[in-house]
Amino acid sequence: PLAPAIITVTGDCELVEAIRAANSDATNGGCPPGSGADTIVLTEDVELNAVEDVDDDGGLPTVTSEITIEGEGFSISRSPAALADFRIGTVAATGKLTLRNTTVSNGDIAGAAGAFVNDGELRIEHSALLDHSATSAGGAILNTGTLVISYSTLASNTVASSSGFLTAGGAIYNQGDLEVDHTTFSGNVAYHDSVVFGGALVNLAGYSAVIVDSTLSNNTAQAPLGISGGVAYGGAIANFGGLTLTNTTISDNAVSGMDTYGTLFTNSGGVLTNVTFSGNGDSALYSFNATPVVVTSTILANSSGPNCGGAVVIDDVNSVADDASCGSTPNGLTYFAPTLRDNGGPTETTA
């Protein structure tokens, strides 16, 4: 195999040229040729001013080879002065992109995915995806391949439209394999006049989403108007596939519309372990069918509606809720009254 190349982005070698050089293993502009699995190192913030890849509506060339971008704390953004709307980039089915220590922001697209469309493998590590917008699916990312996100933040991304039938996934629209750990989803919004799914995340039928050691807070699904009065599913997550949540907090999310269906809406069950739901603006869990949600060592509390809604069936181990909406013995949560008391710590607690 070819030895990997390191391509440093400088005044003579721009990021667009560096990706071209890495994809082609040939010199491009002021950049040396790539060689096998390449690393591109940023030395300054990068602003994108125009569409580079017309076929994929990207400010960067489509990634077709194995590339790591070492951001070194710098940013990649669509310039506020850009005359055209475009997403940041695309990973082709043959591509593998690792984005490390980089802030990526301000992608804006009429369609899906303000930041990235991923058809191959996309890994986001110690990075932030901020302030992206789209009009159909995935404010930041549309994933049809393998998407792995770790120690990162997805915040203030939006998918919004008043046309068409619906929008879905304020931050991520997943139609592939998704793994998330030590990551925060915050302030993401999915909006449509009529029907909307997933303030932060939508996971489609036949696909998997695994979220570990993460936080989903202050995300919103909004459907205020429309011919049906506005129907909103999942202030944080709308799930139709395989969903596993572990050691995760889901708090202060909101869902609004004529009809609303939960902070975590699921139509295919799920496995929840050590998950805390708190302060959400609707039911914590809502399901349209009786596929069991396996809940272990989980807290459901302070919801503005009942903690469980719809046809939720709980298979419970050592979990608690502060109302009686989550079922009854043998598969119900233990009801507890959230009364603060002195339990020996520095502050009063419920247990």
Side-chain angles (χ1 to χ4, degrees):
L2 296 173
I6 297 176
I7 304 172
T8 301
V9 174
T10 63
D12 295 326
C13 174
E14 298 181 354
L15 178 58
V16 166
E17 296 169 335
I19 293 174
R20 288 182 194 149
N23 281 336
S24 64
D25 288 345
T27 300
N28 192 281
C31 299
S35 177
D38 303 307
T39 297
I40 296 172
V41 181
L42 301 186
T43 59
E44 60 185 7
D45 293 338
V46 175
E47 280 198 348
L48 306 173
N49 290 287
V51 176
E52 165 61 27
D53 193 311
V54 176
D55 291 337
D56 291 325
D57 294 318
L60 296 174
T62 294
V63 173
T64 58
S65 63
E66 185 172 349
I67 297 173
T68 296
I69 296 178
E70 291 283 2
E72 303 290 345
F74 293 105
S75 65
I76 303 169
S77 65
R78 175 183 166 274
S79 170
L83 298 178
D85 292 339
F86 53 85
R87 69 174 57 90
I88 302 302
T90 295
V91 182
T94 58
K96 178 180 178 180
L97 174 63
T98 299
L99 186 72
R100 189 175 293 138
N101 295 316
T102 310
T103 296
V104 181
S105 64
N106 205 37
D108 191 353
I109 189 77
F116 295 103
V117 169
N118 176 48
D119 296 324
E121 183 174 335
L122 174 60
R123 293 178 176 269
I124 299 171
E125 302 172 358
H126 299 276
S127 293
L129 271 61
L130 310 176
D131 300 310
H132 299 283
S133 60
T135 61
S136 61
I141 299 174
L142 168 63
N143 177 51
T144 66
T146 298
L147 174 60
V148 180
I149 305 173
S150 58
Y151 294 90
S152 293
T153 298
L154 287 84
S156 301
N157 302 292
T158 302
V159 59
S161 180
S162 296
S163 62
F165 180 63
L166 60 84
T167 60
I172 297 175
Y173 184 92
N174 184 53
Q175 198 173 352
D177 293 322
L178 171 64
E179 297 179 15
V180 177
D181 71 273
H182 292 88
T183 289
T184 297
F185 294 80
S186 179
N188 301 290
V189 176
Y191 174 95
H192 195 279
D193 286 351
S194 296
V195 181
V196 66
F197 294 91
L201 166 67
V202 168
N203 183 46
L204 294 193
Y207 303 98
S208 66
V210 177
I211 301 175
V212 179
D213 293 319
S214 294
T215 298
L216 296 93
S217 65
N218 294 294
N219 303 288
T220 305
Q222 298 176 318
L225 301 170
I227 58 175
S228 62
V231 185
Y233 301 85
I237 298 172
N239 174 57
F240 300 88
L243 178 67
T244 301
L245 302 177
T246 305
N247 300 335
T248 290
T249 297
I250 301 175
S251 64
D252 301 306
N253 300 284
V255 56
S256 63
M258 182 70 71
D259 296 307
T260 59
Y261 297 101
T263 300
L264 192 168
F265 169 84
T266 180
N267 206 37
S268 57
V271 179
L272 281 59
T273 305
N274 296 324
V275 177
T276 297
F277 292 86
S278 179
N280 295 294
D282 202 82
S283 300
L285 289 173
Y286 197 103
S287 177
F288 267 178
N289 64 33
T291 303
V293 181
V294 180
V295 179
T296 302
S297 301
T298 287
I299 297 171
L300 301 94
N302 302 315
S303 301
S304 68
N307 284 306
C308 294
V312 169
V313 175
I314 298 292
D315 186 357
D316 161 49
V317 179
N318 298 324
S319 296
V320 292
D322 67 353
D323 67 13
S325 66
C326 293
S328 58
T329 304
N331 292 318
L333 299 180
T334 302
Y335 171 79
F336 80 102
T339 302
L340 295 175
R341 59 179 64 88
D342 183 357
N343 291 293
T347 61
E348 292 186 329
T349 61
T350 59

